[in-house]
Amino acid sequence: MSDPLISLILGFIIVSALMAFFFPDKGLLAIWRRSAKDSKKEALEDALKHVYDCEYNSLSCTIRSIAGHLHTNMDKAAEVSARLESMGLITSNNQKLYLTDEGRSYALRIIRVHRLWEHYLADHSSVKETEWHSEAEIVEHTMTIEEADSLAAKMGNPLIDPHGDPIPTAGLELPELGGVHLNELEKGDIGRIIHLEDEPQAVFSQLIAMGLHNGMQIHIIDKRTDRIIFEANGEENILAPTLAANITVKKIEDQSEILDDFTPLSSLQVGETGIVKGISRALRGQQRRRLMDLGVVPGSKITPELVSRAGNPVAYRIRGASVALRKQHSDLIFVEKGE
Amino acid sequence: MDKNNTDKTEKLLATAQNLRWQVGENFHESLMESIYSDAARIADRAVKVDDVKKKYDWDVKIDKLVTSRTFGFPLMFLLLAAVFWITVEGANVPSGLLASLLVDFLHPVLKDFMLSFSPEWVAGFLIDGAYLSMAWVIAVMLPPMAIFFPVFTLLEDFGYLPRVAFNMDNLFRRAGAHGKQALTMSMGFGCNAAGVVATRVIDSPRERLIAIITNNFSLCNGRWPTQILIASIFIGAALPAHIAGLVSAGAVVFIAVLGILLSLVVSYGLSKTILKGEASAFSLELPPYRPPKIWQTLYTSLIDRTIFVLWRAIVFAIPAGMAIWLSANVMIDGTSIAEHFISWSNPMGLLLGLNGVILLAYIIAIPANEIVIPTVLMLTVLTAGNPELGAGTGVMFELESQSAMAEIFRMGGWTALTGINLMLFSLLHNPCSTTIYTIYKETGSVKWSVIATVLPLIMGLVVCFFTAQLWMLFAN
Amino acid sequence: MNPSPENCANCPVHNMGNLKKLGVDMSDYDYVIALAGNPNTGKSTVFNNLTGLRQHTGNWPGKTVTRAEGGFIYSDKKFKIVDLPGTYSLLSTSTDEEVARDFILFGQPDVTVIVVDATRIERNLNLVLQVLEITDRAVLCVNLIDEARRHNIIVDIRTLGKDLGIPVVATAARQREGMDELLKSIEEVASGKYTCNPYRLSKVNPGIRKAVERIQNEIKEQFPDLPNPRWVAMRLLEGDQSIIDAIKSGELGDLKAEKQIHQPETIQN
Ligand SMILES: Nc1nc2c(ncn2[C@@H]2O[C@H](COP(=O)(O)OP(=O)(O)OP(=O)(O)O)[C@@H](O)[C@H]2O)c(=O)[nH]1
Ligand SMILES: [Mg+2]
């Protein structure tokens, strides 16, 4: 080649252009593909879900509330609602919208897909928890109920989604969960989080950022009109009552279930011994099971043995075998320090 | 099944479903707890340990050393370099002996024998094509493999590999990959197809896909003869003989390490884009060291692995040899097919710092990387048109010494850049067809197979292009 | 279905239909033997020893990832033996353990040889106890006994055998130590000369025991011949779809056709 400089520049331009076009998610191709997807069906199904939500929470639904939910104008919302009505999924009476039986099962099907997918993401993928909901919002419109059923079968027919919501059964029944809002607990009460509301996103992100998750043990330390102070897995947190209403808890009745030691396994030094007390509920699915398969169950003795170069992972001696664990997991195993 | 029974089973399942809501998520935990407490009781009665401390000390000492902050990594590279060095040094002489036996001595004998009863083209096709390519592959592949595999197996049997995974996990975690990817990568040093199958030990689908796609960055046994040869010719030959082997091994280790780094970089890129996600749990049991039975290991790994891999290479080399012979001997408009292709693809090859011959060789070698070098040599002679070298058009031959080979490369217009880029391209190109097929079988997806095939190829083209252009920019 | 044990004490018990679906050809063989166990306990080494084949072995967990089959003849009977990938548990849902799990659950081998590491017995017993919940035809192979000796670990084989209720053999497979005894035990269990009385979990946690017992009783009522109703009950409580399907189709213990385990490895993403 006569002039390498020109080739270099040309090569650079070509590579950049190809990247700009093909780059996953942010490339032109990806953007074009996203914009080309079926937005009509989505609007219909989202509206239907909204009507279902109203019914579930015993509120009443109108075209205006649909418009609000879909972030669109009244005309569009009216169009959507008329279409749903002509499909026999909802009926209207006196401006208010009601589900037909068929509409209810349709909505439950969407919810089943949504929650199953969240469960899949939480237990079988490594997608961040703040993204579970938004990913499921997309998948619920594309996955068929048959696909969802076979996914459920593969995952061992899970009962609740990672936020604690019950997953509608294959027969489209929706079991009740019970529980009370966090701000209904009294000072000194000990409960377990059974549900974290994932909407609005901003509040959910805040709860997640505080490290809260489903299955966590909550101990109310103090309760005032403007804030609730509580210990979650041994760490103190403060929440405004309005935010606390997004958390549902169940009081722990069985005293033996109450954990009082939240020393993380990662805090043990080489040579120290700990007794496993429990595994945080934040560790889910297959990863949790694998740990138990390896002998990390309450009562097991565990001793750090080898620390790798960067201090992570660490190999622990447990039930006669040596097992390496990453810190993000040894943080989630609670032990009582012994000897 | 009659109605009554169906009702009963329905009822049974419904009861179970209801009870599941009651026992809740703790079921599995309680069960495991019960099992382990029984296990502990039984083990307690049956197992007695005498003075464990003293005996375990050895294992603990070794572990402390191989995973230590200061010595862990250097020890790893040292071992890798040692394995390659033993291979390079040890393989030289037997390779030469095999070549003079199979090529210099047997080839003319067989050719004469064939010519005595069959037409020229049959003898050429079978002996100059099929036989010679097979002979070449045996001569080049057998000695290094017969050394590499047993040495590697000794390390494996001792229990060193899980420690490598343990040491490297931190890097893999940051790349969003699974710690056991270090294990599958090590398997890939033997054979990428085997490495891809080995990814089954990774139970997260996302991380398994990353391990599959990046396995190709482990130099497999089909590629490191190429690396060793080119390194000795373009790097080792410039040095005094007594350190040439060491430096060549060093260069090969450099490429191998570059492959490891690239697999980390690509894993990172994949975790940030099409395989988005965070690293999942990593739990790896570190087995106790078990002193290997040296002779038994040497014997079985020679028989099982070496012969097996060699057989595969031969199976692919024979038809490839025939194809090369044909492409060099079937003429269109007075020039052979091979020459047509080479002169057509040469400009593009030069742009990449390679040449048309190398590009054609990599197309012919899609079924097996082992045959790249023989193909390159033969095609170079063909296009450079040197009548004294080589026994005739389309013949793959072994040359007495590396300097003769260097001579051929020089005639073919090779420079140091060509050598370097060939080493890079040998690391970065599409996996062999067996590996691609294995990837397809393991993932069950065309999409991922295509990505795993095309991604390294594109990387290779880009890397070679920029290396070449920068080289030319600064060399002038 | 199989002939029931009362009629024929030393008939093979394997389920031909399932084995066929699992891709195991049993023509020409009398018994099928499965090699199960935690990863890296020497299963493949035992397999190589018994069959003379050359499965790859290596000192790290997860060396074997696919099933391998071989055969041998002992006291005039033809045995087919299946080497399985290592598994930590039959209760988990991980895909890398699917091959082993499905074979033990649905292949109904005549004998399941559980290979354990003599230096890590306590952890290994987890899987042993699970296997014993499923089958009452098992042999425990306490392998790597040479390593245990090297580390001054003494395993009381007789106590272990008494506690578990199955034949227990100490072996050092790489040195071929104890192989004859292992063969003898396999043959005795396969032919029914030895009747196992396997250990079953004693104290299932009270919180779940009631639920398990309730379902267990219903299962016993509907499938009186079933050898392992408690196991089935526990699987139901974990929502295991393959068991649910088997109950629905009335062929409990049978493998559903679509649950092909030839290619469990397909990744969906
Ligand atoms: N010292 C000693 N080593 C053994 C014995 N049996 C097996 N080994 C070694 O232990 C290692 C593991 O053996 P494998 O047969 O591969 O174990 P496996 O159970 O098939 O392992 P996976 O396939 O990973 O589940 C190998 O390095 C064997 O050489 C034994 O009795 N004594
Ligand atoms: Mg094995």
Tab-separated table of all heavy atoms in Angstrom, chain B residues 191-197 199-200 208 212 216 312 316 366-369 430-454, chain C residues 262-263 265-267:
chain	number	residue	atom	x	y	z
B	191	CYS	N	-7.733	-28.612	23.072
B	191	CYS	CA	-8.580	-28.629	21.888
B	191	CYS	C	-9.800	-27.769	22.189
B	191	CYS	O	-10.427	-27.937	23.221
B	191	CYS	CB	-9.003	-30.064	21.577
B	191	CYS	SG	-10.373	-30.173	20.425
B	192	ASN	N	-10.101	-26.838	21.291
B	192	ASN	CA	-11.208	-25.926	21.552
B	192	ASN	C	-12.552	-26.640	21.613
B	192	ASN	O	-13.414	-26.276	22.408
B	192	ASN	CB	-11.273	-24.832	20.490
B	192	ASN	CG	-10.104	-23.873	20.588
B	192	ASN	OD1	-9.608	-23.363	19.599
B	192	ASN	ND2	-9.637	-23.629	21.807
B	193	ALA	N	-12.715	-27.675	20.794
B	193	ALA	CA	-13.988	-28.389	20.833
B	193	ALA	C	-14.184	-29.009	22.217
B	193	ALA	O	-15.271	-28.942	22.798
B	193	ALA	CB	-14.026	-29.456	19.753
B	194	ALA	N	-13.113	-29.577	22.761
B	194	ALA	CA	-13.202	-30.152	24.105
B	194	ALA	C	-13.468	-29.057	25.128
B	194	ALA	O	-14.250	-29.240	26.070
B	194	ALA	CB	-11.909	-30.884	24.456
B	195	GLY	N	-12.838	-27.911	24.931
B	195	GLY	CA	-13.057	-26.788	25.840
B	195	GLY	C	-14.502	-26.343	25.831
B	195	GLY	O	-15.083	-26.037	26.877
B	196	VAL	N	-15.108	-26.331	24.638
B	196	VAL	CA	-16.501	-25.902	24.532
B	196	VAL	C	-17.411	-26.885	25.264
B	196	VAL	O	-18.324	-26.489	25.995
B	196	VAL	CB	-16.914	-25.765	23.053
B	196	VAL	CG1	-18.415	-25.610	22.923
B	196	VAL	CG2	-16.210	-24.589	22.415
B	197	VAL	N	-17.147	-28.173	25.109
B	197	VAL	CA	-17.967	-29.159	25.824
B	197	VAL	C	-17.779	-29.014	27.335
B	197	VAL	O	-18.726	-29.099	28.111
B	197	VAL	CB	-17.613	-30.590	25.383
B	197	VAL	CG1	-18.400	-31.603	26.189
B	197	VAL	CG2	-17.904	-30.778	23.909
B	199	THR	N	-17.482	-26.494	29.026
B	199	THR	CA	-18.194	-25.366	29.632
B	199	THR	C	-19.469	-25.799	30.331
B	199	THR	O	-20.109	-24.999	30.992
B	199	THR	CB	-18.598	-24.302	28.602
B	199	THR	OG1	-19.458	-24.895	27.646
B	199	THR	CG2	-17.410	-23.697	27.924
B	200	ARG	N	-19.833	-27.050	30.192
B	200	ARG	CA	-21.029	-27.501	30.910
B	200	ARG	C	-20.872	-27.390	32.422
B	200	ARG	O	-21.855	-27.412	33.149
B	200	ARG	CB	-21.336	-28.948	30.565
B	200	ARG	CG	-21.809	-29.112	29.148
B	200	ARG	CD	-22.269	-30.520	28.970
B	200	ARG	NE	-22.392	-30.855	27.563
B	200	ARG	CZ	-22.775	-32.041	27.142
B	200	ARG	NH1	-23.038	-32.975	28.021
B	200	ARG	NH2	-22.880	-32.290	25.866
B	208	ARG	N	-21.917	-19.247	30.615
B	208	ARG	CA	-21.486	-20.366	29.801
B	208	ARG	C	-21.306	-19.927	28.352
B	208	ARG	O	-20.352	-20.309	27.676
B	208	ARG	CB	-22.513	-21.489	29.904
B	208	ARG	CG	-22.052	-22.694	29.177
B	208	ARG	CD	-22.866	-23.920	29.494
B	208	ARG	NE	-22.548	-24.908	28.485
B	208	ARG	CZ	-23.426	-25.737	27.977
B	208	ARG	NH1	-24.664	-25.742	28.396
B	208	ARG	NH2	-23.065	-26.583	27.052
B	212	ILE	N	-18.031	-20.108	26.046
B	212	ILE	CA	-18.011	-20.785	24.744
B	212	ILE	C	-17.430	-19.861	23.676
B	212	ILE	O	-16.551	-20.241	22.904
B	212	ILE	CB	-19.427	-21.246	24.354
B	212	ILE	CG1	-19.845	-22.417	25.240
B	212	ILE	CG2	-19.489	-21.619	22.891
B	212	ILE	CD1	-21.235	-22.922	24.968
B	216	ASN	N	-12.176	-19.870	21.900
B	216	ASN	CA	-11.311	-19.847	20.739
B	216	ASN	C	-10.018	-19.067	20.988
B	216	ASN	O	-9.052	-19.217	20.258
B	216	ASN	CB	-12.092	-19.240	19.573
B	216	ASN	CG	-11.365	-19.368	18.270
B	216	ASN	OD1	-10.769	-20.401	18.003
B	216	ASN	ND2	-11.392	-18.325	17.476
B	312	ARG	N	-7.435	-37.458	14.340
B	312	ARG	CA	-8.341	-36.453	13.791
B	312	ARG	C	-7.592	-35.582	12.772
B	312	ARG	O	-8.092	-35.291	11.683
B	312	ARG	CB	-8.861	-35.571	14.920
B	312	ARG	CG	-9.857	-34.542	14.485
B	312	ARG	CD	-10.192	-33.612	15.643
B	312	ARG	NE	-9.462	-32.362	15.528
B	312	ARG	CZ	-9.920	-31.306	14.872
B	312	ARG	NH1	-11.104	-31.348	14.290
B	312	ARG	NH2	-9.223	-30.206	14.777
B	316	PHE	N	-8.345	-35.187	8.586
B	316	PHE	CA	-8.611	-33.957	7.839
B	316	PHE	C	-7.493	-33.626	6.857
B	316	PHE	O	-7.717	-32.992	5.842
B	316	PHE	CB	-8.810	-32.786	8.799
B	316	PHE	CG	-10.151	-32.792	9.442
B	316	PHE	CD1	-10.290	-32.988	10.795
B	316	PHE	CD2	-11.302	-32.617	8.667
B	316	PHE	CE1	-11.539	-33.019	11.387
B	316	PHE	CE2	-12.547	-32.645	9.258
B	316	PHE	CZ	-12.664	-32.847	10.618
B	366	ILE	N	-9.834	-24.631	7.230
B	366	ILE	CA	-11.001	-24.502	8.115
B	366	ILE	C	-11.299	-25.807	8.860
B	366	ILE	O	-11.586	-25.798	10.048
B	366	ILE	CB	-12.236	-24.002	7.333
B	366	ILE	CG1	-12.064	-22.507	7.023
B	366	ILE	CG2	-13.515	-24.187	8.149
B	366	ILE	CD1	-13.159	-21.928	6.177
B	367	PRO	N	-11.195	-26.967	8.203
B	367	PRO	CA	-11.470	-28.196	8.957
B	367	PRO	C	-10.448	-28.468	10.046
B	367	PRO	O	-10.782	-29.101	11.042
B	367	PRO	CB	-11.409	-29.291	7.893
B	367	PRO	CG	-11.584	-28.594	6.602
B	367	PRO	CD	-11.001	-27.239	6.774
B	368	ALA	N	-9.204	-28.050	9.871
B	368	ALA	CA	-8.203	-28.360	10.892
B	368	ALA	C	-7.050	-27.390	10.766
B	368	ALA	O	-6.390	-27.316	9.734
B	368	ALA	CB	-7.700	-29.796	10.731
B	369	ASN	N	-6.794	-26.668	11.846
B	369	ASN	CA	-5.728	-25.671	11.831
B	369	ASN	C	-4.346	-26.277	11.633
B	369	ASN	O	-3.407	-25.584	11.280
B	369	ASN	CB	-5.732	-24.912	13.157
B	369	ASN	CG	-6.800	-23.851	13.177
B	369	ASN	OD1	-6.729	-22.887	12.437
B	369	ASN	ND2	-7.809	-24.050	14.006
B	430	ASN	N	-11.414	-17.545	12.785
B	430	ASN	CA	-12.566	-18.394	13.105
B	430	ASN	C	-12.130	-19.732	13.685
B	430	ASN	O	-11.071	-20.238	13.348
B	430	ASN	CB	-13.376	-18.622	11.838
B	430	ASN	CG	-12.496	-19.139	10.736
B	430	ASN	OD1	-11.675	-18.403	10.197
B	430	ASN	ND2	-12.632	-20.412	10.429
B	431	PRO	N	-12.948	-20.324	14.558
B	431	PRO	CA	-12.630	-21.662	15.066
B	431	PRO	C	-12.695	-22.682	13.935
B	431	PRO	O	-13.292	-22.421	12.895
B	431	PRO	CB	-13.739	-21.948	16.079
B	431	PRO	CG	-14.567	-20.722	16.187
B	431	PRO	CD	-14.205	-19.801	15.097
B	432	CYS	N	-12.073	-23.843	14.147
B	432	CYS	CA	-12.126	-24.876	13.118
B	432	CYS	C	-13.544	-25.440	13.016
B	432	CYS	O	-14.370	-25.241	13.900
B	432	CYS	CB	-11.143	-26.000	13.437
B	432	CYS	SG	-11.638	-27.012	14.833
B	433	SER	N	-13.828	-26.145	11.949
B	433	SER	CA	-15.214	-26.563	11.712
B	433	SER	C	-15.738	-27.481	12.814
B	433	SER	O	-16.905	-27.429	13.171
B	433	SER	CB	-15.340	-27.230	10.345
B	433	SER	OG	-14.419	-28.275	10.243
B	434	THR	N	-14.860	-28.329	13.357
B	434	THR	CA	-15.308	-29.206	14.439
B	434	THR	C	-15.794	-28.376	15.629
B	434	THR	O	-16.836	-28.654	16.224
B	434	THR	CB	-14.150	-30.094	14.943
B	434	THR	OG1	-13.493	-30.636	13.818
B	434	THR	CG2	-14.663	-31.181	15.835
B	435	THR	N	-15.026	-27.349	15.953
B	435	THR	CA	-15.408	-26.505	17.083
B	435	THR	C	-16.724	-25.785	16.791
B	435	THR	O	-17.601	-25.707	17.657
B	435	THR	CB	-14.296	-25.486	17.386
B	435	THR	OG1	-13.082	-26.198	17.542
B	435	THR	CG2	-14.604	-24.704	18.637
B	436	ILE	N	-16.854	-25.272	15.579
B	436	ILE	CA	-18.096	-24.565	15.244
B	436	ILE	C	-19.291	-25.509	15.404
B	436	ILE	O	-20.307	-25.154	15.998
B	436	ILE	CB	-18.042	-24.020	13.796
B	436	ILE	CG1	-16.913	-23.004	13.665
B	436	ILE	CG2	-19.373	-23.380	13.425
B	436	ILE	CD1	-16.698	-22.502	12.265
B	437	TYR	N	-19.108	-26.719	14.905
B	437	TYR	CA	-20.204	-27.682	15.027
B	437	TYR	C	-20.505	-27.985	16.492
B	437	TYR	O	-21.664	-28.056	16.904
B	437	TYR	CB	-19.842	-28.971	14.278
B	437	TYR	CG	-20.910	-30.029	14.386
B	437	TYR	CD1	-22.182	-29.799	13.866
B	437	TYR	CD2	-20.653	-31.231	15.030
B	437	TYR	CE1	-23.169	-30.755	13.978
B	437	TYR	CE2	-21.637	-32.192	15.148
B	437	TYR	CZ	-22.891	-31.948	14.624
B	437	TYR	OH	-23.869	-32.893	14.740
B	438	THR	N	-19.448	-28.135	17.289
B	438	THR	CA	-19.645	-28.385	18.718
B	438	THR	C	-20.384	-27.224	19.372
B	438	THR	O	-21.282	-27.426	20.192
B	438	THR	CB	-18.296	-28.584	19.425
B	438	THR	OG1	-17.530	-29.512	18.677
B	438	THR	CG2	-18.483	-29.092	20.826
B	439	ILE	N	-20.010	-26.006	18.997
B	439	ILE	CA	-20.689	-24.844	19.570
B	439	ILE	C	-22.173	-24.900	19.217
B	439	ILE	O	-23.038	-24.669	20.060
B	439	ILE	CB	-20.070	-23.529	19.047
B	439	ILE	CG1	-18.650	-23.389	19.569
B	439	ILE	CG2	-20.915	-22.330	19.458
B	439	ILE	CD1	-17.911	-22.195	19.011
B	440	TYR	N	-22.435	-25.255	17.968
B	440	TYR	CA	-23.841	-25.334	17.569
B	440	TYR	C	-24.576	-26.388	18.388
B	440	TYR	O	-25.683	-26.168	18.883
B	440	TYR	CB	-23.965	-25.643	16.076
B	440	TYR	CG	-25.393	-25.850	15.675
B	440	TYR	CD1	-26.276	-24.768	15.656
B	440	TYR	CD2	-25.892	-27.116	15.387
B	440	TYR	CE1	-27.602	-24.943	15.344
B	440	TYR	CE2	-27.215	-27.296	15.079
B	440	TYR	CZ	-28.071	-26.214	15.050
B	440	TYR	OH	-29.393	-26.387	14.769
B	441	LYS	N	-23.933	-27.534	18.584
B	441	LYS	CA	-24.600	-28.597	19.345
B	441	LYS	C	-24.831	-28.178	20.790
B	441	LYS	O	-25.863	-28.464	21.382
B	441	LYS	CB	-23.746	-29.876	19.319
B	441	LYS	CG	-24.175	-30.827	18.248
B	441	LYS	CD	-23.680	-32.249	18.472
B	441	LYS	CE	-22.437	-32.344	19.295
B	441	LYS	NZ	-21.668	-33.564	19.150
B	442	GLU	N	-23.861	-27.517	21.370
B	442	GLU	CA	-23.964	-27.153	22.784
B	442	GLU	C	-24.944	-26.015	23.032
B	442	GLU	O	-25.629	-25.995	24.047
B	442	GLU	CB	-22.588	-26.773	23.346
B	442	GLU	CG	-21.613	-27.929	23.412
B	442	GLU	CD	-22.022	-28.968	24.439
B	442	GLU	OE1	-22.345	-28.619	25.568
B	442	GLU	OE2	-22.041	-30.171	24.090
B	443	THR	N	-24.970	-25.048	22.105
B	443	THR	CA	-25.857	-23.910	22.348
B	443	THR	C	-27.219	-24.121	21.714
B	443	THR	O	-28.193	-23.507	22.114
B	443	THR	CB	-25.291	-22.608	21.755
B	443	THR	OG1	-25.119	-22.789	20.351
B	443	THR	CG2	-23.975	-22.247	22.386
B	444	GLY	N	-27.272	-24.990	20.706
B	444	GLY	CA	-28.525	-25.198	19.995
B	444	GLY	C	-28.973	-23.935	19.279
B	444	GLY	O	-30.158	-23.767	19.006
B	445	SER	N	-28.043	-23.051	18.981
B	445	SER	CA	-28.474	-21.788	18.405
B	445	SER	C	-27.545	-21.368	17.279
B	445	SER	O	-26.324	-21.387	17.412
B	445	SER	CB	-28.497	-20.719	19.501
B	445	SER	OG	-27.885	-19.531	19.075
B	446	VAL	N	-28.153	-21.020	16.145
B	446	VAL	CA	-27.364	-20.566	15.007
B	446	VAL	C	-26.715	-19.225	15.333
B	446	VAL	O	-25.561	-18.967	15.018
B	446	VAL	CB	-28.254	-20.430	13.753
B	446	VAL	CG1	-27.460	-19.865	12.588
B	446	VAL	CG2	-28.847	-21.778	13.384
B	447	LYS	N	-27.503	-18.399	16.011
B	447	LYS	CA	-27.031	-17.049	16.296
B	447	LYS	C	-25.694	-17.060	17.046
B	447	LYS	O	-24.730	-16.424	16.632
B	447	LYS	CB	-28.092	-16.339	17.140
B	447	LYS	CG	-27.698	-14.951	17.596
B	447	LYS	CD	-28.798	-14.342	18.468
B	447	LYS	CE	-28.229	-13.274	19.387
B	447	LYS	NZ	-29.114	-12.953	20.497
B	448	TRP	N	-25.649	-17.845	18.134
B	448	TRP	CA	-24.424	-17.842	18.926
B	448	TRP	C	-23.285	-18.520	18.192
B	448	TRP	O	-22.123	-18.139	18.349
B	448	TRP	CB	-24.672	-18.477	20.297
B	448	TRP	CG	-25.612	-17.659	21.115
B	448	TRP	CD1	-26.863	-18.021	21.528
B	448	TRP	CD2	-25.414	-16.322	21.580
B	448	TRP	NE1	-27.441	-16.993	22.225
B	448	TRP	CE2	-26.581	-15.940	22.273
B	448	TRP	CE3	-24.367	-15.414	21.475
B	448	TRP	CZ2	-26.721	-14.682	22.856
B	448	TRP	CZ3	-24.508	-14.166	22.055
B	448	TRP	CH2	-25.690	-13.818	22.737
B	449	SER	N	-23.604	-19.528	17.368
B	449	SER	CA	-22.540	-20.164	16.606
B	449	SER	C	-21.934	-19.165	15.643
B	449	SER	O	-20.717	-19.097	15.472
B	449	SER	CB	-23.081	-21.361	15.833
B	449	SER	OG	-23.924	-22.124	16.637
B	450	VAL	N	-22.806	-18.367	14.995
B	450	VAL	CA	-22.298	-17.386	14.038
B	450	VAL	C	-21.444	-16.349	14.758
B	450	VAL	O	-20.342	-15.998	14.320
B	450	VAL	CB	-23.463	-16.705	13.284
B	450	VAL	CG1	-22.962	-15.515	12.489
B	450	VAL	CG2	-24.145	-17.710	12.378
B	451	ILE	N	-21.945	-15.885	15.888
B	451	ILE	CA	-21.178	-14.879	16.627
B	451	ILE	C	-19.817	-15.436	17.037
B	451	ILE	O	-18.788	-14.799	16.868
B	451	ILE	CB	-21.968	-14.406	17.866
B	451	ILE	CG1	-23.145	-13.544	17.397
B	451	ILE	CG2	-21.072	-13.610	18.811
B	451	ILE	CD1	-24.028	-13.055	18.512
B	452	ALA	N	-19.831	-16.677	17.556
B	452	ALA	CA	-18.572	-17.266	18.000
B	452	ALA	C	-17.615	-17.461	16.829
B	452	ALA	O	-16.401	-17.480	17.005
B	452	ALA	CB	-18.827	-18.601	18.692
B	453	THR	N	-18.162	-17.631	15.629
B	453	THR	CA	-17.308	-17.840	14.462
B	453	THR	C	-16.771	-16.524	13.922
B	453	THR	O	-15.591	-16.398	13.604
B	453	THR	CB	-18.106	-18.534	13.347
B	453	THR	OG1	-18.728	-19.684	13.897
B	453	THR	CG2	-17.213	-18.928	12.199
B	454	VAL	N	-17.654	-15.551	13.801
B	454	VAL	CA	-17.309	-14.322	13.090
B	454	VAL	C	-16.525	-13.348	13.963
B	454	VAL	O	-15.613	-12.670	13.495
B	454	VAL	CB	-18.599	-13.666	12.552
B	454	VAL	CG1	-18.299	-12.325	11.950
B	454	VAL	CG2	-19.257	-14.586	11.544
C	262	HIS	N	-30.882	-36.572	25.824
C	262	HIS	CA	-29.709	-36.600	24.949
C	262	HIS	C	-29.046	-35.247	24.888
C	262	HIS	O	-27.858	-35.122	24.863
C	262	HIS	CB	-30.122	-36.985	23.535
C	262	HIS	CG	-30.409	-38.434	23.422
C	262	HIS	ND1	-29.536	-39.378	23.872
C	262	HIS	CD2	-31.471	-39.100	22.945
C	262	HIS	CE1	-30.045	-40.576	23.654
C	262	HIS	NE2	-31.230	-40.426	23.102
C	263	GLN	N	-29.877	-34.213	24.801
C	263	GLN	CA	-29.297	-32.888	24.670
C	263	GLN	C	-29.834	-31.968	25.744
C	263	GLN	O	-30.594	-31.064	25.480
C	263	GLN	CB	-29.622	-32.304	23.306
C	263	GLN	CG	-28.949	-33.060	22.200
C	263	GLN	CD	-29.714	-32.928	20.933
C	263	GLN	OE1	-30.940	-32.905	20.918
C	263	GLN	NE2	-28.999	-32.838	19.839
C	265	GLU	N	-28.122	-29.966	27.101
C	265	GLU	CA	-27.159	-28.878	27.227
C	265	GLU	C	-27.532	-27.636	26.439
C	265	GLU	O	-26.853	-26.645	26.466
C	265	GLU	CB	-25.774	-29.356	26.783
C	265	GLU	CG	-25.713	-29.904	25.399
C	265	GLU	CD	-26.061	-31.394	25.395
C	265	GLU	OE1	-26.379	-31.941	26.463
C	265	GLU	OE2	-26.039	-32.000	24.339
C	266	THR	N	-28.661	-27.709	25.720
C	266	THR	CA	-29.036	-26.563	24.923
C	266	THR	C	-29.240	-25.334	25.804
C	266	THR	O	-29.930	-25.370	26.794
C	266	THR	CB	-30.339	-26.865	24.175
C	266	THR	OG1	-30.104	-27.998	23.374
C	266	THR	CG2	-30.728	-25.706	23.303
C	267	ILE	N	-28.627	-24.260	25.398
C	267	ILE	CA	-28.726	-23.033	26.189
C	267	ILE	C	-29.790	-22.141	25.591
C	267	ILE	O	-29.845	-21.952	24.390
C	267	ILE	CB	-27.402	-22.266	26.159
C	267	ILE	CG1	-26.292	-23.119	26.703
C	267	ILE	CG2	-27.527	-20.992	26.944
C	267	ILE	CD1	-24.988	-22.399	26.728
